[in-house]
Amino acid sequence: MVTGSAGFIGGHVAEILQAAGHDVVGLDLRCGADVRDAATLDTLLPGVDVVVHQAAKVGLGVDVSDLPDYASVNVYGTAVLLAAMARHGIGRLVLASSMVVYGEGRYECATHGQVRPGPRAVDDLERGRFEPACPRCGEPVRSAVIKEDAPPDPRNAYATSKLAQEHLAANWSRETGGSAAALRYHNVYGPRMPRDTPYAGVAAIFRSELRAGRAPKVFEDGRQLRDFVHVRDVARANLAALVAPGRPGESRAWNIASGTPHTVGEMACALATEQGGPSPRVTGDYRLGDVRHIVASPERAETELGFRAEIGFDTGMKEFARS
């Protein structure tokens, strides 16, 4: 069963699983089936052997008024799903998690080695000082790749809810002997990405602005590092996790990323070039829930799942701009 099967990522996941010969049962709120409805789950789960859980409220949202929805859909919904899986003896879960659970990425200080800066101060952001500093000496730090064993540090409601999903999956695994694979997606983009909504990813927001003839508004100075990974690669990662043998009672996480970081400004410029639209406008604005740099190590996914992203940044952005 694929939850969120009519969504952006879930739709691609359902398609690749079907193409690989799996029988897929879909569940999606758009089709009137709610993951929070235990009765619906009890109707759909008999005969299911693996659940691929993509259903979620995504994005940073608008403000704190979104907190109840994040808790309800992402946290409560996952709890209801896991309880239903236990009732029906389903022992394998593939969970759509996110790189947002890390908070800021990994940094290196010339004096103190590996450090994890705390949230950036509003005063610094207002003054255009966007780069985090060493929390011990205050000196500049260098961004480095982050691995799955980094301690989580969620900075917004969505991030908190995704980490809660991972914890619930770990609880379920230990108590039932099932196995859970948490796929920490980095910045996913590609065909059928939602548009014209504050809950969409930055790539979709930029594309919508360009199609309306407006310059994409790039926050901060545009030099924020991210790993942009194509949705078809993400779907392939789900297939790899589904067929990989899981250890009973274990919940394990993998970064799902391209392994090649780019700045937000580079991504905006690539879309503008492909669409022939106005050049991006760097605003200096910021969002408190944002982090500065987050760059993934995809090594564990390649070693343990046999997954490696195949669609490069240039190719993917050209397709996305025209999709």
Side-chain angles (χ1 to χ4, degrees), residues 14-299:
E15 288 172 0
I16 199 171
L17 297 184
Q18 289 171 329
H22 297 278
D23 295 324
V24 177
V25 175
L27 180 151
D28 198 284
L29 191 58
R30 296 172 180 84
C31 304
D34 193 330
V35 73
R36 295 167 290 186
D37 185 343
T40 296
L41 292 172
D42 286 337
T43 300
L44 295 176
L45 284 174
V48 168
D49 54 2
V50 182
V51 172
V52 183
H53 185 29
Q54 306 290 320
K57 182 180 178 72
V58 300
L60 283 185
V62 178
D63 54 36
V64 293
S65 65
D66 285 319
L67 286 172
D69 274 351
Y70 281 114
S72 178
V73 177
N74 297 358
V75 183
Y76 178 68
T78 299
V80 173
L81 174 64
L82 292 171
M85 289 174 63
R87 286 197 300 276
H88 292 275
I90 300 169
R92 180 65 169 164
L93 172 72
V94 179
L95 171 67
S97 187
S98 172
M99 56 90 173
V100 295
V101 302
Y102 296 121
E104 280 289 351
R106 177 175 168 237
Y107 293 85
E108 298 284 348
C109 171
T111 302
H112 297 105
Q114 183 176 331
V115 294
R116 295 291 300 279
R120 295 175 292 173
V122 172
D123 183 62
D124 285 339
L125 295 170
E126 288 286 344
R127 294 172 182 271
R129 295 196 292 257
F130 302 121
E131 293 290 343
C134 175
R136 297 178 64 183
C137 66
E139 291 299 312
V141 290
R142 179 180 61 85
S143 177
V145 296
I146 196 162
K147 297 186 177 182
E148 291 85 351
D149 57 359
D153 184 18
R155 301 286 176 89
N156 55 62
Y158 174 59
T160 299
S161 72
K162 298 307 285 185
L163 183 59
Q165 286 184 321
E166 288 197 19
H167 286 320
L168 288 169
N171 297 154
W172 167 83
S173 295
R174 285 193 297 270
E175 293 185 27
T176 67
S179 64
L183 305 183
R184 291 176 177 168
Y185 303 158
H186 285 251
N187 287 68
V188 186
Y189 72 97
R192 307 201 299 266
M193 193 173 189
R195 62 184 67 186
D196 303 324
T197 165
Y199 303 97
V202 66
I205 293 171
F206 288 168
R207 185 182 60 177
S208 293
E209 290 289 289
L210 286 162
R211 287 185 174 173
R214 297 186 295 264
K217 294 185 289 293
V218 180
F219 281 7
E220 300 186 18
D221 58 5
R223 298 176 184 170
Q224 308 95 301
L225 280 170
R226 297 291 187 272
D227 190 307
F228 299 99
V229 57
H230 197 280
V231 67
R232 289 198 298 274
D233 279 329
V234 170
R236 289 179 47 249
N238 276 269
L239 176 59
L242 183 144
V243 300
R247 296 178 183 175
E250 180 182 76
S251 180
R252 191 155 174 80
W254 290 271
N255 285 325
I256 304 302
S258 73
T260 306
H262 291 270
T263 68
V264 173
E266 286 174 333
M267 187 263 287
C269 287
L271 292 177
T273 298
E274 288 303 318
Q275 294 199 342
S279 297
R281 180 169 63 88
V282 177
T283 67
D285 294 337
Y286 63 88
R287 297 186 298 183
L288 282 177
D290 279 339
V291 298
R292 181 59 175 173
H293 303 301
I294 179 79
V295 177
S297 167
E299 181 180 348

